Structures are given as C-alpha cells and as structure tokens.
Amino acid sequence: MSQATETETTEGTGRIKSVSGPVVKAVDLDARMNDVVYVGDEGLMGEVIEIEGDVTTIQVYEETSGVAPQEPVENTGEPLSVDLGPGMLDAIYDGVQRPLDVLEEKMDSAFLDRGVDAPGIDLEKEWEFTPEVEVGDSVEAGDIVGVVPETVTIDHKVMVPPDYEGGVVESVEEGAFTVDDAVVTLENGEEISMRQEWPVREKRPTIEKRTPREPLVSGQRILDGLFPIAKGGTAAIPGPFGSGKTVTQHSLAKFADADIVVYVGCGERGNEMTEVIEDFPELEDPKNGNSLMARTSLIANTSNMPVAARESCVYTGITIAEYYRDMGYDVALMADSTSRWAEAMREISSRLEEMPGEEGYPAYLAARLAEFYERAGYFENLNGTEGSVSAIGAVSPPGGDFSEPVTQNTLRIVKTFWALDADLAERRHFPAINWNESYSLYQDQLDPWFKENVAEDWPERRQWAVDTLDEEGELQEIVQLVGKDALPEDQQLILEVARYLREGYLQQNAFIDVDMYCPPEKTYAILTTIQTFNDEAFDALDAGVPIEDITDIDAAPKLNRIATQEDWEAYVDELKSDITEQIRSLY
Amino acid sequence: MKEYQTITEVSGPLVFAEVDEPIGYDEMVEIETPSGETKRGQVLESEDGIVAIQVFEGTTGIDRNASVRFLGETLKMPVTEDLLGRVMDGSGNPIDGGPDIVPDERRDIVGAAINPYSREYPEDFIQTGVSAIDGMNTLVRGQKLPIFSGSGLPHNDLALQIARQATVPEEEGEGDDDESEFAVIFGAMGITQEEANEFMDDFERTGALERSVVFMNLADDPAVERTVTPRLALTTAEYLAFDKGYHVLVVLTDMTNYCEALREIGAAREEVPGRRGYPGYMYTDLAQLYERAGRLKDREGSVTQIPILTMPGDDDTHPIPDLTGYITEGQIMMDRPLHSQGIEPPVNVLPSLSRLMDDGIGEGLTRADHADVSDQMYAAYAEGEDLRDLVNIVGREALSERDNKYLDFADAFEEEFVEQGFDTNRTIDETVELGWDLLSTLPRTELNRVDEDLIEEHYREDAAASDAETEEVSAD
C-alpha cells in the first residue's frame, strides 16, 4: 500500500471504540473486509479483519501506544495492495512495502517512527521506456507493451494490467517517463503506465500451471546432488535454532540460478537483514558477474517490528515475485521464517478471541499455508511467456520438534524437504541437512535435465551415494555397541567411504570463497572421485590387501580437499590417478 | 487531570475502571489507595467507557474507593549520563540514597524498532578473556548472546567475569584517545537479595559501579514490575550508546522470571494461552527486548546484550530458552556435568553458538588461524564426546589408537581449554595458542579443517612426536 493512493477520497470515517495492542475496534465505519484504513490522529496504517454489526475490527501495522477511543478511523476503500513497477529491485521494504531507506530519510532517525508513509516505488524518478507495440496493434490483458532497463541485469517489461480489457493501441510514447505517466493509450480510453497496483492477498492470473522440468540449481552440493528443487517448486527448511536455516536461505538467495530473487525476512533478526543489505551489493551474481542486488528485492520485517505487518510481509513478497514471473522470469522467493508468519496469525487470532485450533494456532492455518505455497509454480503467463516462482520457506519448530502444526501442515504441501539437524550443527557439519530425513519429490522429473546437462550417469551416481550413506547409518548403530574394529573389513571400508562422502561431499563451507558456490559439474566430480576410491578400495580388499593399508594411502585425505581447490578439474584428474596407482601398488 | 473513583473490578494484577473520556492505550496511571499509598500502572486495554489497568506494585490495598488518575502519557525513563554509578529499583526510582536524578530527557520505554536499513553489521571482536567464549563462540559488539543456564549453576559468576574483563583489543595504528567509553547496565528481575548482594559486592570491589547503572527488581518485589525493568534498562542503554557514544554491555538476569511475569499477566487477562501457558505473543515481546541490541550507521556506541536465563529442568526446548534462541544471535550453554567435574566456567561448547563469530574473527580482527582452529576443535571434541559412550560399553582397550587420541583430546579440551577459573583473563593469543597445543596431540593428517599452510606454521611436531612414541610403547 502506498501514498500513491492518498489522492483518493476516503470512503468514510468512523471512530475508535477500543484499543488492545495491534487490534483496534471501530464503530460507524463503512468498510469492506480487508480494506486498508488509517487509524487515529496519527493515521496509523491498518487493515479490516472482521466486521460484526456496526463494529469493525482492524489490525494495525504500527505500534499503538497512546491511541485512544474516540479518535477517527479513515477508510481508503482499497484492499492492501503493492505498487508494482520498475524500482522494486535493489530495494528494501518493510512488510507493507514501505522502502526502509526512504523511511530513514523521512523520519531522520535510525528508529522507526509511526504514521510515516512512503510509496513502494519512486514516483518522481524517470525511466527510459522503449515500446514494443505500435499504433494500431491490438493488445490484451497481460501483454508486454514495452521494456525499461531496471537494473544492469534485468529488463523490466511493462505489461497491460490483468484487469484491463485491452484493445487497439491509439498512441505510444518513447523516452523518459515517471511511473505514473501513460506510455501507451488504447482506443477504449485505457491508459497504461509503468505502475500497476495489485492486492497482495490475491494471486495474479495466469493461463495454466505446468509441471516443472528444470532444476533451480543452488550451488549447494547436498541440494543439487541429493535433494534438488525444481524451478517453480516448493521447499521447506525446518530446523531448530542454530542449525543454519538462515545461512542456507542466504546461500540460496546468493547462488540459486533464478533471474530474480525476492528475500522475505519475516520476524527474524535485524542484524541478519543488515548482513544481507551490506553483503549483497558487493557479491557477484554467479550468472553474469553483476551486483547481486541488481536481481534482488528485500522485504525486512524483523521480529521487533509490528506483528500485523509481519503477517502481511509474505504476501507482499509473493505478489512482487508473481509480477516478475508475469514478465517471463524465473523467480525464487525465500521466506525466513514462515513460523513467524504463522505466529503472527496466532497472535492476531487470539486477540480476536477466535476459537483456537492446534497449539493455539487458528483453525485456518493449514489453509493459509496451502494457499501461499500454491502461488508458487511453473506457469504459462497471460502474455504467452513462461515463468516460475519457486517458494522456499524456512520453518522454526519450537524445540526443534517437527511434529508441530506449522511443520506438519507445510510438509503436506511442499515437495522438497530439507531437514536441518541440531546434532550435525553441533559438530559443525554444515549445511546441517540430515540426509536420512530429507527428500525431494522432483528427482524423477529433473533427472533428464541433469543427464543432458551434467552427466549421463547422474541418477546412478546419486543412488550410489544415497545407498552408501544409508548403509553407514545402519552400521553406525552396530558401531555404537561394539566398536568399529569389531566389524568385518568390507563394512569398515563402507564406513570409511561414507566418511569421505560426509566430509568431502556433503559438507560445504559457506564462508570460503571457492567453496560457497559449487557448480553441478564440480558436485559430480567430487562424487565420482570418491566413488573411484570406493571401487579401487573394494577391488584391493577382494585381492586380500589389509584395510589399514588401503585407507592409509597418501591420496585418501585429499578427497576432503577437492571442494576448496581453485583448479578442481586438474586436482580431480590427478587425485583419481593417484588413488588408482597407490591402491593398485598394494597388490 | 481528572480523578476517578470508579473501580469496578480488581483481579490479580489488573484493575478495571469506568471512565468518561478517551484514554490512550499504554498510558500511565496512578492509583491512590484509601490508606494514602500511590501505585503505578499502565493501560492494557482501552475501550469507550472502561479501561483495564495493569498495576506494577501489586493490587494489595486497592478497593473500589481508590482513586485513579490518568497521566496522559506513556511510561517514560528519565535519562542522563549522571545515571552512571546509580542503583535503582525495578521501576527506576533511586534506592542508593543519592540525589534526585535530573534528566536530560524523558524517553518512552517501549523503544521504537531500529530500522534494519540503519543498522551496521556488528563485527568488532570483544575479548572476554574466557577461552570457551573467545575461542569457540566469539562475542562481538552489538550482539545479543544469552547464557542458557540451570538452577544452581554459576551463570552469575560468568556474567560478572565477562562484565569485568570485556575489552576490545587495541587496533594497531588506530590508537587515538577518543575511544568511546565502556558502560555496564545491569537489569535484575526477580533475583534474590543474596544474588543481588553478590553482584553489588563485586561491582563495588572492582570499582565497576562507577561505570554501571543498576536496576533491581528483587524476588519479593511485584512480579508485574518485572515487565518494565528490562525496558528501563534498555532505554538507558540506547541513550548512553547512541546519544552519548558509550559501548554498553547490558546484563539481564533472570529472563525466566520476566517470562513468568508475562504469563501471570496473561492469565489474569484470561487470554488464550500458548505453549505451557505462556502467552502467544511471547516471541514478539521477547524480540522487542532482545532486538534492542546492535550498532547504528554513523554512530559511535553500541548495545551488547547478555541476557541470562535458567532453563526449567535444564530443558532447552522449554518455551523460554526456545523462543530466546530463535531471536538471539547464539547462546552460551552452561552444563551441569561439567559443573560437577569442577570445570570453571562449565560451558559446554557443543550446543553453544555465536552466530556473529564468523564475521568477527580472522586476520586483522583476531587471528588468521582462529576460524580453522575453532572448527577443528569443535569437530574433534564432538568426536571424542561420541567415543565416550562407546568406552562405557567396550572399554578403552577395545578402541583403536586413533580413537584413544580423540578421547584424550576431549579430556584435555575440558580440563585445560574450558577450565580456567573465574579470575583468569586470557588474551585471544593465549586462547588460540592453547588450541594449537591441544590440536597438536592429534595426528597431522586428522586436521582436515585447517588450512595446510597454517598447519605448517603452527603445528607442534614435538608434541605429536612425543605422543607418538608413547603410543608406540603402549601399542607394543
């Protein structure tokens, strides 16, 4: 929502009946459900969430200290909407799309004051518009009428708003314009500018949803290698605190091969958002070397910012994501954390004295989560382009217990599950994704892509890794009882190979430059090198070589160092031949 | 100011009164009992004609004839630099017999949220002199790092040690004198008089009181007041840090008592309870405290928080530590078995964590080898810990030479690295060197998390060699 709508006449004015934290009740207000209202003398932004007789209940997006009964409530007559147009990339917003940098300037303070509003996109700035239609062309809702270079990386496509009728183009402009200037006019009088508004709680229309067939390559070995997510897919990352949810989300935001990244910091730490704001402009987009911010839109509603705005921030995020999808881009949305969003729902619901469902969460929790994740997918857009929104939600289960309602309801919807594990985190195995519990239901539909683009035997290699790790899991249980040396030699060797898989393949250091991003080719190379060791070692074992001699070869510990090599291709080639040579020399 | 004698209901810490004018939410209230006592409170819910008031000093003595005055403003904290050296009660009234406080300014205690865009990312290393923290879970300026403890564990000693020893090592070439000063703010909620004395004695003994502001809500003070105390402390901290340029360390103890007070109020208001009876908004409420740590762009000072909480039943999945852990930037975990072994401080580094560590250490900040050493020690200690279970079953002889080395490492790690006593102050150099001493007892090839060049530079060959000899002897 923005000040851009300020000029509209207010639909009606009521007055406050009661105030309790973020929930305000008003009387004499003529409002529809979900209308945005301005509350009190200070004009705090709020949204209508319940109407009962003459009493309207409003959730207020700002702190309500000092607000008193009898103060006025103004209705804008519009639902909570976002401004869509050039300028959303390289921007940082709060939960209701107020740009935080503009707020800092307007408030002249490092602290967030109340009652200050700002438009979601700069209304003064002029953008260079190049039309792609001519006078006399016929356009329909959703069609692209021109482009604007928004950042070095992204061309912003200007589209006919989905709720327009469309028709024959009457006039077309070219050159520098502000977002509110009409750049294309239709014969039926409809004017198309670079700015659209869209209500956040409603999904933007498309033609159809398709089955995703391409992976969202993340540059994280355990994700690409074992549990891949598709472009247009959904994933959940649940984990107790300290297990690395945010680091994983950050890595995805940095390295995922999406065109656009929308990062929603929902009820999380202020310093984490600051880290993103400071780091991203300096990081390079792995695709083209430009600044990472050129493809990123940030939404930061930290845990101490008003709870109602936390409830709306995921919707703001996904609406922006859908808008770029409409242009034909692949968008990745990270929501960290969806639990905080669910808790915001719970808090508001309990202030409304609604009958609670499981663990105090409202009964509609499952429906809201499902609705949100359903907005992700691989789509054919109204204008015929194809685009995707991949949604990756972190979940913060209380006490790390995955049986709680938010985790469970999320798992029923998403198709990729990356389970973070406190035990792994404690021993500094990062990313602390548990390979026994995690899964991806996209594997089969993505295998053709990996076969074609990386290696023909990608699925078999992956299966070998999974089998070896499974076997290790079983053997470890026995080891806990009798010790490793009591096992037969071939099983000891499996443990050894699995150890290299864990340390050299699954572990990845997000803080070392060469290792933070791992292309699928390198992921594959590390895996095949470990498998080379495995195959050679078993051959030697069969030939009667004692296990100690095999595992003690000089080359073996180098398996753990492939990840950190600049020139990994040469290193892998040399290591493979060293391993073969050294093991074969034993018999 | 209008006075009302219209109280309709008194329930636990809450008072309901009828009013004929609009009263602001969160506004301050004074209630005078018939016996002449004045109690303060705050508007919890304001409706046309009736308000719910939460009374800080307890509702004892309030009857329907008590008079209610609405002050027309929200709760404010008088702030001034002169607060340094002063001791106050949990509501901010001086109790040290000193002069009245002449404030520079009166600040709303519900601080506005810091704009994430205006923050500066914390990355200045604070040397606490405690190896388990400096070496393994480094604290940086502007961080919020709680101590998760249990009843009967020496968390207070650790907090005092940190408050006493915390320094920022001088940066070379930048030793100008306009270094901002260091201040400690101590907010006590529901601690016993004895604990309070312990803190005050230490402050006085070390002369730390001069640069401290103390807020004391004791165990027998009203519980509702506990919800105000940390906000007074943090408002003072923000003023000193961001207006006066101090580096402020805020110690809050005990957050468990704070949360109990929240639950008490929630219950009195008949709210729908969340987990274990704590209110559903506890996450938001705690976040509004913890998030008031940090640094700002273009400002000198910083607010660093060390909240202390005792985990009921030593259970870190209890809502209080759980929600805290989700907000704070890590945690220092105290451990009962280590305590009974006599390790001081009994910090278990495995479940401990400092999220800001990676950016606060390394070349130019601490040492180039810090991160690798710390990682390797974590991995090695975790491995040694695992093997201990196995030893109980099969005995040490049944384990391989490699496993035995890890077991020895785990023992040495606890007894030499973590153990240091509450009075020893180790520099970061001493801590990291000690780390190398321990790592050198492991074979060189096991150090797979340390850069090869660093191993070359620091690995103590003789330690391993002498170790290897003894191993060989015993192996024969």
Side-chain angles (χ1 to χ4, degrees):
Chain A
M1 194 60 206
S2 78
Q3 247 180 3
T5 55
E6 188 177 62
T7 45
E8 287 157 31
T9 51
T10 50
E11 294 278 311
T13 307
R15 54 186 183 83
I16 297 175
K17 180 173 173 285
S18 73
V19 187
S20 164
V23 173
V24 168
K25 294 194 175 177
V27 288
D28 300 336
L29 187 72
D30 184 19
R32 286 173 306 179
M33 197 58 179
N34 295 112
D35 274 359
V36 168
V37 295
Y38 290 104
V39 174
D41 297 330
E42 290 176 89
L44 310 178
M45 196 201 287
E47 183 181 358
V48 174
I49 51 171
E50 195 177 80
I51 301 171
E52 206 183 330
D54 189 33
V55 182
T56 309
T57 308
I58 299 156
Q59 62 175 3
V60 180
Y61 295 125
E62 298 177 78
E63 177 68 41
T64 52
S65 285
V67 174
Q70 301 296 341
E71 288 184 22
V73 179
E74 275 178 43
N75 186 10
T76 62
E78 297 268 325
L80 183 65
S81 308
V82 286
D83 287 324
L84 301 167
M88 292 192 296
L89 297 177
D90 199 3
I92 170 162
Y93 294 119
D94 77 350
V96 286
Q97 212 207 4
R98 297 183 303 175
L100 288 169
D101 49 343
V102 176
L103 289 188
E104 182 190 61
E105 203 179 306
K106 271 191 151 177
M107 296 171 182
D108 192 26
S109 159
F111 295 88
L112 291 167
D113 276 341
R114 308 189 302 182
V116 180
D117 207 345
I121 48 179
D122 193 335
L123 301 180
E124 315 280 302
K125 182 168 176 173
E126 293 194 337
W127 299 90
E128 199 61 38
F129 175 79
T130 313
E132 289 194 344
V133 289
E134 288 170 13
V135 175
D137 284 359
S138 178
V139 294
E140 286 174 31
D143 280 355
I144 295 168
V145 296
V147 290
V148 171
E150 181 172 0
T151 64
V152 278
T153 317
I154 296 297
D155 276 339
H156 191 102
K157 315 269 169 68
V158 178
M159 295 171 291
V160 181
D163 48 358
Y164 273 28
E165 265 177 39
V168 178
V169 176
E170 190 181 63
S171 71
V172 174
E173 308 286 336
E174 179 164 8
F177 295 95
T178 69
V179 289
D180 274 337
D181 294 332
V183 286
V184 174
T185 316
L186 306 185
E187 275 178 359
N188 63 4
E190 283 177 330
E191 291 185 341
I192 297 156
S193 70
M194 288 182 255
R195 181 166 79 91
Q196 300 187 11
E197 264 184 51
W198 193 261
V200 295
R201 292 179 205 280
E202 218 173 287
K203 66 174 180 205
R204 287 177 65 87
T206 53
I207 292 180
E208 68 165 346
K209 197 169 186 170
R210 298 202 174 152
T211 308
R213 306 240 173 249
E214 253 184 65
L216 182 73
V217 176
S218 63
Q220 308 302 304
R221 283 189 289 277
I222 183 162
L223 305 187
D224 294 342
L226 300 186
F227 313 110
I229 177 178
K231 285 197 171 106
T234 49
I237 318 181
F241 60 81
S243 56
K245 283 184 299 296
T246 302
V247 177
T248 310
Q249 290 273 40
H250 281 193
S251 293
L252 285 166
K254 288 175 192 165
F255 304 121
D257 69 340
D259 300 311
I260 307 275
V261 170
V262 179
Y263 193 92
V264 184
C266 175
E268 289 287 307
R269 304 175 182 86
N271 280 333
E272 281 171 1
M273 289 317 294
T274 309
E275 186 184 5
V276 174
I277 299 168
E278 285 185 12
D279 281 1
F280 276 34
E282 279 159 35
L283 288 170
E284 279 181 15
D285 185 337
K287 267 184 153 176
N288 47 37
N290 294 334
S291 159
L292 209 51
M293 272 313 281
R295 67 161 195 182
T296 310
S297 186
L298 296 173
I299 294 162
N301 211 84
T302 58
S303 56
N304 55 338
M305 284 157 78
V307 68
R310 193 190 307 161
E311 195 270 331
S312 68
C313 67
V314 293
Y315 293 108
T316 302
I318 197 136
T319 310
I320 293 177
E322 283 176 338
Y323 180 65
Y324 282 101
R325 174 211 64 201
D326 286 347
M327 300 178 200
Y329 288 119
D330 291 314
V331 186
L333 173 106
M334 283 91 201
D336 183 16
S337 142
T338 56
S339 292
R340 305 296 162 230
W341 169 43
E343 281 163 13
M345 275 189 246
R346 174 167 73 181
E347 197 171 327
I348 304 282
S349 157
S350 102
R351 301 238 186 211
L352 291 177
E353 294 171 4
E354 290 174 342
M355 182 73 76
E358 220 178 330
E359 288 195 21
Y361 286 104
Y364 46 79
L365 171 73
R368 292 277 171 89
L369 284 169
E371 224 176 306
F372 167 72
Y373 282 107
E374 266 307 286
R375 287 174 75 169
Y378 194 94
F379 291 94
E380 184 183 342
N381 296 319
L382 292 183
N383 53 29
T385 57
E386 288 181 10
S388 66
V389 173
S390 316
I392 300 161
V395 184
S396 320
D401 172 11
F402 290 174
S403 68
E404 58 92 38
V406 183
T407 315
Q408 284 308 313
N409 284 315
T410 304
L411 287 185
R412 280 167 42 204
I413 314 156
V414 301
K415 295 183 80 177
T416 312
F417 174 51
W418 298 322
L420 292 171
D421 186 326
D423 273 350
L424 291 174
E426 271 185 22
R427 57 194 63 217
R428 299 303 188 260
H429 173 116
F430 286 117
I433 295 171
N434 184 312
W435 49 90
N436 292 319
E437 283 181 53
S438 304
Y439 59 78
S440 164
L441 301 180
Y442 294 113
Q443 266 174 12
D444 292 342
Q445 67 210 58
L446 298 180
D447 275 347
W449 187 93
F450 281 112
K451 278 183 176 174
E452 194 185 320
N453 291 283
V454 189
E456 191 51 41
D457 59 351
W458 177 276
E460 291 80 31
R461 299 276 185 174
R462 178 182 62 221
Q463 200 50 48
W464 170 76
V466 171
D467 291 346
T468 309
L469 290 165
D470 277 353
E471 212 162 331
E472 186 207 20
E474 283 163 27
L475 291 175
Q476 282 295 356
E477 283 171 25
I478 303 172
V479 171
Q480 289 300 323
L481 296 174
V482 297
K484 189 172 156 186
D485 293 345
L487 293 180
E489 289 200 326
D490 60 331
Q491 294 187 342
Q492 287 189 40
L493 186 55
I494 289 174
L495 289 180
E496 191 71 8
V497 172
R499 188 163 70 89
Y500 287 121
L501 277 176
R502 282 189 282 113
E503 293 176 0
Y505 182 66
L506 299 181
Q507 280 187 27
Q508 190 168 350
N509 193 329
F511 298 98
I512 295 181
D513 286 345
V514 281
D515 197 24
M516 51 173 68
Y517 173 75
C518 185
E521 293 74 21
K522 185 173 163 190
T523 299
Y524 177 79
I526 297 178
L527 187 57
T528 50
T529 316
I530 297 174
Q531 206 180 354
T532 305
F533 171 76
N534 175 76
D535 296 348
E536 292 295 334
F538 270 101
D539 286 349
L541 202 63
D542 288 345
V545 181
I547 178 142
E548 292 79 22
D549 292 352
I550 303 172
T551 55
D552 273 357
I553 61 164
D554 289 342
K558 289 188 180 164
L559 287 170
N560 284 342
R561 299 205 183 260
I562 308 173
T564 52
Q565 299 306 315
E566 288 285 356
D567 188 6
W568 54 270
E569 279 158 318
Y571 191 85
V572 161
D573 288 343
E574 194 188 323
L575 185 54
K576 275 186 183 166
S577 63
D578 282 356
I579 287 172
T580 315
E581 202 176 298
Q582 286 173 16
I583 294 183
R584 288 193 184 168
S585 71
L586 298 171
Y587 61 98
Chain B
M1 197 184 314
K2 215 164 170 184
E3 247 186 76
Y4 294 91
Q5 282 193 321
T6 53
I7 293 177
T8 56
E9 188 186 334
V10 182
S11 151
L14 301 188
V15 168
F16 296 84
E18 286 175 353
V19 289
D20 57 8
E21 63 184 338
I23 303 295
Y25 172 72
D26 254 1
E27 210 170 272
M28 284 303 293
V29 185
E30 273 179 11
I31 299 177
E32 204 176 320
T33 64
S35 57
E37 205 187 335
T38 306
K39 292 170 184 285
R40 295 197 301 161
Q42 197 172 12
V43 174
L44 213 53
E45 188 165 339
S46 173
E47 241 190 285
D48 258 355
I50 189 151
V51 293
I53 301 159
Q54 155 185 338
V55 183
F56 299 138
E57 285 106 341
T59 45
T60 319
I62 296 179
D63 65 6
R64 292 200 291 183
N65 293 322
S67 62
V68 181
R69 278 193 300 273
F70 295 95
L71 304 184
E73 61 166 25
T74 50
L75 185 53
K76 301 245 177 358
M77 171 75 201
V79 287
T80 155
E81 248 179 303
D82 299 337
L83 281 171
L84 289 168
R86 302 298 302 268
V87 182
M88 276 156 292
D89 68 7
S91 298
N93 308 308
I95 49 169
D96 54 1
D100 282 350
I101 290 159
V102 187
D104 281 355
E105 217 181 304
R106 300 176 66 249
R107 289 253 171 113
D108 208 319
I109 65 158
V110 184
I114 300 178
N115 186 336
Y117 183 78
S118 312
R119 281 182 186 266
E120 186 166 300
Y121 192 67
E123 44 197 6
D124 292 337
F125 164 66
I126 300 182
Q127 179 176 301
T128 64
V130 180
S131 293
I133 297 177
D134 291 351
M136 311 295 282
N137 296 287
T138 315
L139 176 70
V140 300
R141 265 183 190 163
Q143 184 173 16
K144 37 196 181 294
L145 188 63
I147 299 176
F148 283 13
S149 185
S151 314
L153 295 178
H155 42 263
N156 290 343
D157 297 305
L158 179 60
L160 279 170
Q161 185 177 17
I162 296 170
R164 213 167 42 228
Q165 299 180 349
T167 55
V168 173
E170 292 277 318
E171 276 174 47
E172 283 157 47
E174 244 187 272
D176 14 358
D177 288 330
D178 60 0
E179 259 287 296
S180 18
E181 283 179 78
F182 190 68
V184 175
I185 298 201
F186 181 70
M189 291 154 281
I191 64 169
T192 60
Q193 184 68 52
E194 232 170 283
E195 282 176 288
N197 290 346
E198 199 185 311
F199 276 105
M200 291 312 296
D201 288 349
D202 194 88
F203 281 164
E204 273 160 34
R205 181 171 61 84
T206 58
L209 190 59
E210 288 170 40
R211 53 184 179 99
S212 308
V213 189
V214 179
F215 294 88
M216 288 273 183
N217 166 288
L218 298 181
D220 55 353
D221 288 336
V224 178
E225 193 185 77
R226 276 162 217 164
T227 59
V228 179
T229 312
R231 295 191 161 81
L232 297 172
L234 288 165
T235 306
T236 312
E238 279 173 351
Y239 172 80
L240 290 176
F242 303 131
D243 287 55
K244 298 292 167 189
Y246 284 84
H247 289 296
V248 186
L249 179 70
V250 185
V251 178
L252 299 172
T253 180
D254 175 330
M255 290 307 292
T256 306
N257 296 334
Y258 172 83
C259 295
E260 299 292 341
L262 278 187
R263 178 161 69 173
E264 191 179 328
I265 296 164
R269 293 179 64 185
E270 297 175 5
E271 291 170 344
V272 181
R275 272 214 306 157
R276 300 219 191 169
Y278 292 96
Y281 49 80
M282 193 157 87
Y283 177 83
T284 308
D285 193 281
L286 286 173
Q288 278 167 351
L289 298 181
Y290 296 142
E291 277 291 330
R292 292 173 81 174
R295 304 188 53 189
L296 298 181
K297 279 188 283 189
D298 312 321
R299 304 270 181 104
E300 263 304 296
S302 63
V303 177
T304 309
Q305 272 190 40
I306 302 193
I308 299 172
L309 56 89
T310 45
M311 300 181 281
D314 290 355
D315 173 13
D316 68 354
T317 65
H318 183 279
I320 300 172
D322 190 52
L323 294 180
T324 299
Y326 274 122
I327 306 164
T328 54
E329 281 136 355
Q331 65 277 336
I332 301 295
M333 198 71 100
M334 303 288 261
D335 186 71
R336 209 169 286 279
L338 285 179
H339 180 57
S340 41
Q341 276 175 51
I343 306 284
E344 286 183 352
V347 174
N348 186 354
V349 300
L350 292 180
S352 299
L353 170 73
S354 164
R355 291 167 188 272
L356 302 182
M357 175 170 181
D358 292 296
D359 296 293
I361 63 172
E363 206 162 358
L365 298 158
T366 55
R367 274 173 54 144
D369 53 343
H370 189 167
D372 285 2
V373 168
S374 152
D375 264 7
Q376 189 69 58
M377 286 207 285
Y378 260 112
Y381 181 55
E383 179 139 15
E385 258 296 292
D386 280 353
L387 289 166
R388 283 179 179 167
D389 297 337
L390 190 54
V391 168
N392 291 335
I393 301 168
V394 299
R396 256 191 116 124
E397 288 70 32
L399 294 186
S400 67
E401 187 188 315
R402 176 179 176 277
D403 290 351
N404 269 304
K405 284 198 168 161
Y406 274 100
L407 280 168
D408 290 337
F409 176 86
D411 291 341
F413 180 80
E414 286 168 4
E415 286 156 17
E416 293 167 36
F417 190 84
V418 179
E419 156 69 27
Q420 67 178 99
F422 291 113
D423 292 312
T424 312
N425 190 352
R426 288 190 192 142
T427 66
I428 183 65
D429 254 332
E430 287 168 343
T431 294
V432 179
E433 286 302 323
L434 192 55
W436 276 111
D437 288 344
L438 295 179
L439 287 180
S440 299
T441 62
L442 297 172
R444 216 179 155 122
T445 46
E446 288 292 318
L447 305 187
N448 55 13
R449 293 180 186 231
V450 188
D451 191 89
E452 274 156 338
D453 296 342
L454 292 171
I455 298 184
E456 200 56 50
E457 192 180 335
H458 296 281
Y459 189 76
R460 324 243 194 276
E461 290 299 345
D462 39 334
S466 65
D467 226 60
E469 272 164 38
T470 51
E471 285 296 336
E472 259 164 47
V473 174
S474 60
D476 291 338

